[in-house]
Amino acid sequence: MKLNKITINSKEALADHIKSGKASYYYSSATSTVIPYDKIESYLSHLDGDDLFWVNLSTMPEEMELDDSGVLTISGPVTWQSAKQYCRSKGRDIMTSPTEELASVLSGLATSATGERCFGFGTLRDQVEQIEYCSDKGEFILLNSSREIEESEALRRYRETYSRYIDFKNAPFPRMLNETDQLIGTEGQLGVVTQAKIRTTTFDERTFIFIKLPRWEQEMIAHLEVFEKVQSFRDRIFSCELLDFNSMKNLPEQEKVTSEGDIIFLEVKTKSFEAIYDELLSSLIHIREEDIFEVSASRCNQLRMNVPRYTFEMNLKMGVVKKGTDVQVSVQDFPTLLEFYREWTRLGIDYNLFGHFGDGHLHFNFLPTAVQVDQCQEKLVELYDFISELGGSPFAEHGIGLIKQKFITNFWEEAQYNFFSELKRKMDPKNIFFPLGFLSLKRTNS
């Protein structure tokens, strides 16, 4: 398969390219962890098929506008960082905060990104009011969250299988309830998102509370105490995140907040701090008062962004594709997941663990050498079989892309394949939008 890399600078040029009928993958920030951008030519070179266009939208025109009701309109490759700064300049705040703030918001819609603030504000798809996208005919179409998708028997059966994942950040397959859901989490396989209207919230001053704990591999009782008790405080806590010892040990000394053990940090409303302290922090039996402290917002943000960047750099240095997890399990199954990960720490392969602790959604990252990659792959197969048995979600934040397709079909039934085929026939009959994506996967008898 030959790759043709092009850059598109306007909506008119985008529409013209789409109308040409050329099979294409569209991207802007190139920050996805499930698309191997740095190795894409070698990754796809062995595949048969027609030419594929790799279309860069990062220079499309950008625009932001905030209306009187607090709805933010975003056009083009605006980043989460820019959206956050713009909203705060007007006394508002975005409710979704992916760790990689240089990713684009519209790309985040395509993968249904969630981030740490999902703990307090819920999922991104529920914050979207309207989406504009460019269709297979090169037309710009509006979808509204107030309208449901046209009913069909395939959709009805699909929704029945989705119901078991209703409390998860993302299911193993996209939610399909409102019109906007068709472009959220479908990874650009039904059209290219060009604009979105997203609800914001009033900007409240925040306090970042850090809690020092032992290393989770050695003792988890304090971690689980925080996990269980924090569930009742989602109305006052925006985020509840874990950074383990291995996530921080190789960071520059000036960025570390501790040189031993793990950290759980809470992002809370400053005006709720005293209540959080009295009702939650002071009730923790397994954590000493001197191990609870405040860190500035800027230092916390730097820390949480640099840990995944360090992980990426380590993989790049070793010349390997990321071998990490993105699974979420129910509150009752979270201790079981931690025990599963603890077994991995005995393999003799470098690793770290970080992420959205309060949601039962963590990222365990192997940091293998080239000779350890196959072993890591075997362990990931075991994990996804295990998560399927638990009824968890395998990819709760970062999507499926190309890297994780081999794991997803164990979570699908006939209902998924049937509805995906219906969607493609309806919205992309020539299969020109990311034709290698998961909507085009075929069911096998294995």
Side-chain angles (χ1 to χ4, degrees), residues 301-334:
N301 289 337
Q302 182 182 44
L303 182 63
R304 71 178 180 81
M305 286 189 292
N306 284 348
V307 165
R309 287 175 184 172
Y310 159 74
T311 302
F312 172 80
E313 290 170 3
M314 286 295 294
N315 288 326
L316 193 63
K317 179 180 178 181
M318 292 295 179
V320 300
V321 173
K322 181 180 179 181
K323 299 297 177 184
T325 72
D326 185 26
V327 307
Q328 182 185 13
V329 297
S330 65
V331 169
Q332 57 266 30
D333 288 328
F334 187 57

Side-chain angles (χ1 to χ4, degrees), residues 80-236:
W80 291 103
Q81 183 180 74
S82 296
K84 178 192 292 185
Q85 292 171 350
Y86 176 78
C87 287
R88 290 184 181 176
S89 72
K90 297 179 178 296
R92 304 292 296 182
D93 201 9
I94 56 173
M95 294 185 282
T96 299
S97 185
T99 302
E100 181 48 81
E101 292 190 339
L102 297 182
S104 73
V105 176
L106 300 187
S107 294
L109 289 177
T111 56
S112 197
T114 53
E116 50 264 31
R117 299 188 112 206
C118 185
F119 183 80
F121 290 115
T123 62
L124 175 60
R125 60 178 174 267
D126 286 325
Q127 298 160 19
V128 177
E129 290 197 347
Q130 186 183 88
I131 287 175
E132 176 194 82
Y133 77 101
C134 195
S135 73
D136 66 312
K137 297 179 177 63
E139 300 171 343
F140 293 92
I141 297 175
L142 294 181
L143 302 177
N144 288 285
S145 62
S146 60
R147 296 197 296 256
E148 290 194 2
I149 301 171
E150 183 179 350
E151 189 68 59
S152 70
E153 180 61 18
L155 176 57
R156 185 186 67 79
R157 292 182 179 276
Y158 181 93
R159 286 175 175 169
E160 287 177 354
T161 62
Y162 185 90
S163 61
R164 75 192 70 161
Y165 297 103
I166 196 68
D167 294 326
F168 286 79
K169 298 167 78 169
N170 281 305
F173 36 89
R175 185 185 75 174
M176 288 291 165
L177 178 62
N178 308 321
E179 274 189 352
T180 49
D181 289 341
Q182 295 170 107
L183 271 292
I184 299 176
T186 50
E187 301 184 6
Q189 296 171 77
L190 301 174
V192 179
V193 179
T194 52
Q195 185 185 87
K197 293 181 181 294
I198 302 173
R199 290 192 301 277
T200 64
T201 187
T202 302
F203 177 66
D204 293 303
E205 291 296 330
R206 298 156 302 137
T207 297
F208 290 88
I209 303 168
F210 277 55
I211 304 170
K212 290 172 58 176
L213 307 100
R215 294 181 63 173
W216 66 276
E217 308 96 316
Q218 300 167 357
E219 178 56 70
M220 292 190 291
I221 189 169
H223 297 70
L224 293 176
E225 181 185 20
V226 175
F227 176 75
E228 291 166 4
K229 291 187 174 181
V230 79
Q231 302 302 322
S232 301
F233 294 85
R234 289 177 181 262
D235 59 327
R236 287 168 284 177

Side-chain angles (χ1 to χ4, degrees), residues 360-388:
H361 171 209
L362 294 174
H363 305 301
F364 186 103
N365 291 281
F366 285 115
L367 301 172
T369 63
V371 298
Q372 295 171 324
V373 166
D374 288 345
Q375 184 182 8
C376 294
Q377 192 72 9
E378 292 172 3
K379 293 302 175 182
L380 289 174
V381 171
E382 293 175 8
L383 169 71
Y384 293 120
D385 287 343
F386 176 69
I387 295 301
S388 180

Side-chain angles (χ1 to χ4, degrees), residues 149 152-159 161-162 165 171-176 181-187 189-190 400 405 408-431 433-435 437-443:
I149 301 171
S152 70
E153 180 61 18
L155 176 57
R156 185 186 67 79
R157 292 182 179 276
Y158 181 93
R159 286 175 175 169
T161 62
Y162 185 90
Y165 297 103
F173 36 89
R175 185 185 75 174
M176 288 291 165
D181 289 341
Q182 295 170 107
L183 271 292
I184 299 176
T186 50
E187 301 184 6
Q189 296 171 77
L190 301 174
I400 297 166
Q405 287 184 8
I408 194 62
T409 53
N410 283 347
F411 295 83
W412 291 356
E413 303 171 15
E414 184 178 1
Q416 278 68 54
Y417 291 98
N418 288 344
F419 184 63
F420 291 161
S421 294
E422 181 175 279
L423 274 177
K424 274 291 193 179
R425 287 195 302 270
K426 173 185 173 185
M427 300 178 70
D428 184 23
K430 296 180 181 178
N431 199 24
F433 293 119
F434 191 16
F438 69 85
L439 290 182
S440 299
L441 291 176
K442 303 300 181 183
R443 190 173 193 182

Side-chain angles (χ1 to χ4, degrees), residues 249-428:
K249 69 178 181 180
N250 292 317
L251 294 177
E253 286 299 322
Q254 65 271 20
E255 293 185 19
K256 297 179 183 178
V257 294
T258 181
S259 58
E260 57 184 26
D262 302 340
I263 285 290
I264 290 176
F265 74 78
L266 309 177
E267 179 188 1
V268 309
K269 295 180 182 179
T270 300
K271 62 185 178 184
S272 300
F273 172 76
E274 289 188 11
I276 293 293
Y277 187 86
D278 292 339
E279 298 172 32
L280 172 63
L281 300 175
S282 64
S283 72
L284 296 172
I285 298 171
H286 300 287
I287 295 170
R288 301 176 302 174
E289 184 175 2
E290 57 265 35
D291 288 333
I292 300 172
F293 56 98
E294 184 180 344
V295 169
S296 69
S298 60
R299 191 174 182 194
C300 180
N301 289 337
Q302 182 182 44
L303 182 63
R304 71 178 180 81
M305 286 189 292
N306 284 348
V307 165
R309 287 175 184 172
Y310 159 74
T311 302
F312 172 80
E313 290 170 3
M314 286 295 294
N315 288 326
L316 193 63
K317 179 180 178 181
M318 292 295 179
V320 300
V321 173
K322 181 180 179 181
K323 299 297 177 184
T325 72
D326 185 26
V327 307
Q328 182 185 13
V329 297
S330 65
V331 169
Q332 57 266 30
D333 288 328
F334 187 57
T336 305
L337 177 63
L338 284 177
E339 287 291 349
F340 189 98
Y341 284 152
R342 181 145 65 179
E343 289 299 314
W344 280 2
T345 69
R346 303 184 176 111
L347 296 173
I349 302 172
D350 286 345
Y351 64 90
N352 62 27
L353 182 72
F354 61 85
H356 318 306
F357 186 79
D359 292 313
H361 171 209
L362 294 174
H363 305 301
F364 186 103
N365 291 281
F366 285 115
L367 301 172
T369 63
V371 298
Q372 295 171 324
V373 166
D374 288 345
Q375 184 182 8
C376 294
Q377 192 72 9
E378 292 172 3
K379 293 302 175 182
L380 289 174
V381 171
E382 293 175 8
L383 169 71
Y384 293 120
D385 287 343
F386 176 69
I387 295 301
S388 180
E389 293 172 6
L390 280 184
S393 182
F395 314 127
E397 181 178 24
H398 294 298
I400 297 166
L402 293 169
I403 293 174
K404 296 187 176 182
Q405 287 184 8
K406 61 178 72 68
F407 302 119
I408 194 62
T409 53
N410 283 347
F411 295 83
W412 291 356
E413 303 171 15
E414 184 178 1
Q416 278 68 54
Y417 291 98
N418 288 344
F419 184 63
F420 291 161
S421 294
E422 181 175 279
L423 274 177
K424 274 291 193 179
R425 287 195 302 270
K426 173 185 173 185
M427 300 178 70
D428 184 23

